[in-house]
Amino acid sequence: MLFSIPVFLFLGLVILFFSFFTVKQQTAAIIERFGKFQSIRHSGLQLKIPLIDTVSGRLSLKIQQLDVLVETKTLDDVFVRLKISVQYKVIKDKVYDAFYKLDYPHDQITSYVFDVVRAEVPKMKLDDVFVKKDDIALAVKAELNDAMLDYGFDIIKTLVTDIDPDPQVKAAMNRINAAEREKTAAQYEGDAQRILIVEKAKAEAESKRLQGQGIADQRREIARGLEESVDVLNRVGINSQEASALIVVTQHYDTLQAIGGETNSNLILLPNSPQAGSNMLNDMVASFTASNQIGEAMKENKKKNS
C-alpha cells in the first residue's frame, strides 16, 4: 500500500505535466479529440485532457514568402524565366480551413502562379515584360486572392523579383544597347566637330575682317603721308608730277635698302637693276606730260566746239 502511493503520485504528476502545453506568439495550435477536431488554441499556456486530446498541428500566423520560378515564352518567341515572390499569411479566423482544406498550400499557390504567368506573359513582347512586370504581379495577386481566400490564406503581395531571358538574347540586347550608345556618342562628336568648324570659320572671318581693316587704315595713312609730302615739295617749287616721281623713286630705294638689311629675306623686287629707278622716274614723268598734253588738247577742242 505504501509502495502504491508514490506510483500514483508519479502518474498524477505525469498526467498533470501532459495536461499543459504552450503555444508561441503568432502561432495557432489545432486540438483533436480521438481524431476529431476539438478546438483552436492561440499563444500562451493552454490546458488539454491528456491521452484524449492531442495537438495535431500548429500553423504560423506570420507573413511567409514563397518564391516560384516560372519558365515561359513571350509573344516574340523568346523563352524567359521569371521569379515570382508571393507573400501570404494564414487568416486568424480561418485557421480551421487553412489546416484541414489543404494538405500542401505551397503546391497550390505554385500551381496558380504558373497558370497566371503562362497566361499573361505570352501576350507580351520581351521588352514589355520588363516594363509591365507590375501588371504581371497584380494579375497573380488577384488570381491568388480569389482562389486562396476560401482556404484561409490571405495574399499580402506578389512581386516579380527577377526576369531572366535566354543568355543569347541577353547578349543580343547588350549589343543593341551598346550600338545605340555608340550612335549617340557619334552624334555628339559630330555636333562638337561642327561647332568647332563653325567657330573656326567665324574666327577666320573676323581675323580677315580685322586684317583688311588694318590694311585699309595703313593705306589711308600712307596716302595721307604722300599728300603731306607733296604739299611740302610744292612749297619749295617742285610741282606735283615731279614730287610724285620723287616719292616713287624714294620708296623704290627704301624697299631695296629693307631687302638688303634682311639676310634671310626671300623677297625679290622687280625691276631691281640700278637703272630701274631712273627708268621708272622717266616713265612716270613722260606719262604725266602726255596726260597733261591730252588734257590741254581736250580743253582746246571744247572751246572750239563751244
Side-chain angles (χ1 to χ4, degrees):
M1 185 68 180
L2 293 176
F3 176 74
S4 61
I5 293 176
V7 174
F8 283 114
L9 183 60
F10 176 75
L11 291 176
L13 291 175
V14 171
I15 292 173
L16 184 63
F17 177 77
F18 283 102
S19 298
F20 293 96
F21 67 98
T22 58
V23 180
K24 293 183 179 181
Q25 189 70 28
Q26 290 293 332
T27 305
I30 291 83
I31 305 299
E32 292 182 351
R33 181 172 295 172
F34 298 117
K36 183 180 179 180
F37 172 75
Q38 178 63 28
S39 63
I40 297 173
R41 308 291 178 86
H42 295 285
S43 59
L45 181 64
Q46 302 291 338
L47 178 66
K48 65 180 178 65
I49 301 174
L51 304 179
I52 296 176
D53 294 340
T54 58
V55 180
S56 60
R58 299 173 186 263
L59 288 180
S60 174
L61 301 181
K62 298 179 182 178
I63 296 177
Q64 304 176 63
Q65 178 167 308
L66 174 64
D67 293 330
V68 182
L69 289 176
V70 184
E71 184 174 9
T72 184
K73 186 177 70 170
T74 62
L75 184 62
D76 46 355
D77 296 329
V78 177
F79 282 92
V80 60
R81 296 181 66 188
L82 285 83
K83 182 179 180 181
I84 312 296
S85 297
V86 181
Q87 298 175 354
Y88 67 96
K89 70 175 182 177
V90 176
I91 301 173
K92 189 174 182 179
D93 297 334
K94 293 187 176 183
V95 174
Y96 177 88
D97 294 334
F99 186 78
Y100 286 102
K101 286 187 176 182
L102 285 178
D103 276 340
Y104 304 102
H106 287 184
D107 293 344
Q108 189 82 1
I109 293 174
T110 301
S111 298
Y112 278 107
V113 171
F114 268 83
D115 182 65
V116 175
V117 171
R118 287 181 174 176
E120 293 294 327
V121 174
K123 301 177 185 177
M124 307 176 184
K125 292 184 178 180
L126 180 60
D127 292 339
D128 295 334
V129 174
F130 285 92
V131 175
K132 299 180 179 180
K133 68 182 186 68
D134 291 339
D135 295 342
I136 299 173
L138 291 176
V140 173
K141 183 177 184 298
E143 184 71 20
L144 285 176
N145 263 332
D146 293 340
M148 301 302 294
L149 191 62
D150 294 336
Y151 299 109
F153 290 90
D154 182 22
I155 306 302
I156 306 299
K157 195 172 185 64
T158 57
L159 301 170
V160 180
T161 56
D162 189 22
I163 301 173
D164 187 19
D166 185 85
Q168 294 181 355
V169 176
K170 287 195 291 185
M173 293 174 66
N174 290 333
R175 288 198 299 270
I176 293 173
N177 189 19
E180 287 292 334
R181 292 181 181 276
E182 290 177 358
K183 179 181 177 182
T184 303
Q187 291 176 349
Y188 279 113
E189 290 177 358
D191 293 340
Q193 291 179 358
R194 179 178 58 81
I195 292 172
L196 289 175
I197 292 172
V198 171
E199 293 301 323
K200 184 178 180 181
K202 289 181 180 179
E204 290 179 355
E206 182 67 15
S207 175
K208 290 179 180 179
R209 185 185 69 81
L210 294 175
Q211 183 179 1
Q213 183 177 352
I215 293 174
D217 292 341
Q218 180 184 8
R219 290 177 178 175
R220 190 181 300 110
E221 293 300 325
I222 292 174
R224 186 178 291 111
L226 292 175
E227 182 181 2
E228 292 176 357
S229 299
V230 171
D231 290 339
V232 171
L233 293 174
N234 287 335
R235 293 192 192 101
V236 297
I238 300 176
N239 59 30
S240 299
Q241 295 178 357
E242 293 173 347
S244 299
L246 180 61
I247 290 171
V248 171
V249 173
T250 302
Q251 289 182 344
H252 178 77
Y253 284 106
D254 289 341
T255 304
L256 291 176
Q257 183 179 1
I259 295 173
E262 295 291 338
T263 57
N264 296 324
S265 176
N266 295 324
L267 179 64
I268 298 176
L269 183 64
L270 296 175
N272 59 357
S273 61
Q275 296 83 14
S278 59
N279 292 337
M280 189 181 300
L281 179 59
N282 294 332
D283 292 340
M284 291 184 66
V285 171
S287 62
F288 285 144
T289 302
S291 63
N292 288 333
Q293 292 176 354
I294 293 173
E296 293 294 333
M298 292 177 65
K299 291 180 181 178
E300 290 295 331
N301 289 331
K302 287 182 179 180
K303 288 180 180 179
K304 291 179 180 180
N305 293 330
S306 61

